[in-house]
Amino acid sequence: MLFFLMQPAVMYSGMLVAAAAIPAVFLMIKVYRSDRLEKESPYLIKKLIWAGLFSVLLALVEETVLSLILGFFVPVESSLYNIIMFFVIVAFAEETSKYLFMYRKTWKNPEFNCQYDGVVYAVITSLSFALFENITYVISYGFGTALIRAVTAIPGHACFGVFMGVFYGIAKRCDYRRNTSGASFFRCMAILVPALLHGAYDYIATMDVEGDDWSFIVFIIIMFVISYILIGKQAKKDRPIIY
């Protein structure tokens, strides 16, 4: 009897997880297939997916600790608190966590031999991050959250990953050419630019002013269009890094 009572709950939970996962998986496949020169191995892709999971855990710890510290110095209801929270704590905690785990898995990997590989690595890590983050949100808040995050948060993380990957690929090319300063600069940009976009995304999403919904939608559309163009251009002009 208990088994039959549990079945609807299990099925509903499964539907929630699927609703959270499908958009991320779809975008992962899209970016992976855009790699026209040399596809990355399934083994490396699995490592990047796990990197996304571990980056969620690291970011969660960082955000929890830093937000508690921030609350001691800045009033929680103030605009300054929101700015620091979104642009510094949340954005940098999440983007640096993604970057660090991606870097460890790919920077010295011999498969990282084309500039577009950087986009593939960053987007898959970011979407894996979004996937596991989305699952926790959906289980906590329900199916409606899955629909909202499917068209906002998941594409948002994908876009952050595109910008991260573009600079990461350039950094690798600089590294091959023994351009140490150039490699360091573009590695920093691979964190800074996505973090600023992420902070702007979170801040606009939580603004409590008239018309803020439209501002958020316009921001997402612009960011998505630019990311889509970047993916096409980076994939089209991709070439081995050693050249």
Side-chain angles (χ1 to χ4, degrees):
M1 182 66 177
L2 181 61
F3 173 76
F4 290 107
L5 290 174
M6 291 176 61
Q7 273 192 319
V10 172
M11 290 177 62
Y12 181 68
S13 299
M15 289 174 61
L16 291 179
V17 172
I22 288 173
V25 174
F26 174 79
L27 289 171
M28 282 183 190
I29 295 172
K30 171 66 177 176
V31 172
Y32 180 77
R33 288 182 174 177
S34 296
D35 191 357
R36 62 183 183 84
L37 288 187
E38 183 180 340
K39 297 287 192 296
E40 308 309 301
S41 68
Y43 176 70
L44 180 56
I45 298 301
K46 289 178 183 178
K47 290 174 68 174
L48 290 169
I49 292 173
W50 280 107
L53 169 61
F54 289 121
S55 62
V56 170
L57 301 177
L58 176 60
L60 179 62
V61 173
E62 291 175 345
E63 290 171 23
T64 301
V65 173
L66 293 175
S67 62
L68 288 173
I69 295 173
L70 178 63
F72 284 112
F73 298 98
V74 181
V76 176
E77 301 299 328
S78 66
S79 298
L80 179 59
Y81 179 91
N82 289 333
I83 292 173
I84 297 174
M85 187 68 185
F86 294 135
F87 280 93
V88 179
I89 294 178
V90 174
F92 273 94
E94 294 190 3
E95 298 307 320
T96 54
S97 296
K98 296 178 200 172
Y99 178 86
L100 288 173
F101 280 99
M102 176 189 69
Y103 179 87
R104 290 191 62 186
K105 301 296 182 182
T106 61
W107 186 254
K108 294 183 179 181
N109 193 305
E111 290 192 47
F112 194 178
N113 55 5
C114 295
Q115 191 165 316
Y116 184 75
D117 291 348
V119 176
V120 175
Y121 300 155
V123 171
I124 289 178
T125 303
S126 293
L127 284 173
S128 176
F129 181 101
L131 167 61
F132 291 111
E133 183 187 53
N134 206 29
I135 289 173
T136 60
Y137 271 99
V138 169
I139 291 175
S140 299
Y141 302 109
F143 192 79
T145 301
L147 297 178
I148 294 172
R149 291 183 61 83
V151 297
T152 56
I154 289 180
H157 277 287
C159 292
F160 307 149
V162 170
F163 284 92
M164 180 183 289
V166 169
F167 290 114
Y168 190 56
I170 297 173
K172 187 62 175 177
R173 182 175 293 280
C174 291
D175 183 68
Y176 265 96
R177 294 178 176 178
R178 301 291 191 271
N179 182 358
T180 306
S181 59
S184 298
F185 172 77
F186 285 110
R187 283 201 300 267
C188 290
M189 292 297 289
I191 298 174
L192 179 61
V193 173
L196 291 175
L197 289 172
H198 194 153
Y201 170 96
D202 287 341
Y203 186 75
I204 295 172
T206 57
M207 285 194 309
D208 188 19
V209 296
E210 186 176 353
D212 61 327
D213 290 341
W214 284 108
S215 300
F216 183 60
I217 292 170
V218 170
F219 178 80
I220 290 176
I221 291 173
I222 292 173
M223 188 170 62
F224 190 82
V225 169
I226 294 173
S227 299
Y228 188 84
I229 293 171
L230 281 174
I231 287 175
K233 286 186 175 181
Q234 291 293 314
K236 186 175 181 180
K237 70 177 184 180
D238 191 27
R239 62 192 188 281
I241 287 176
I242 59 175
Y243 295 129

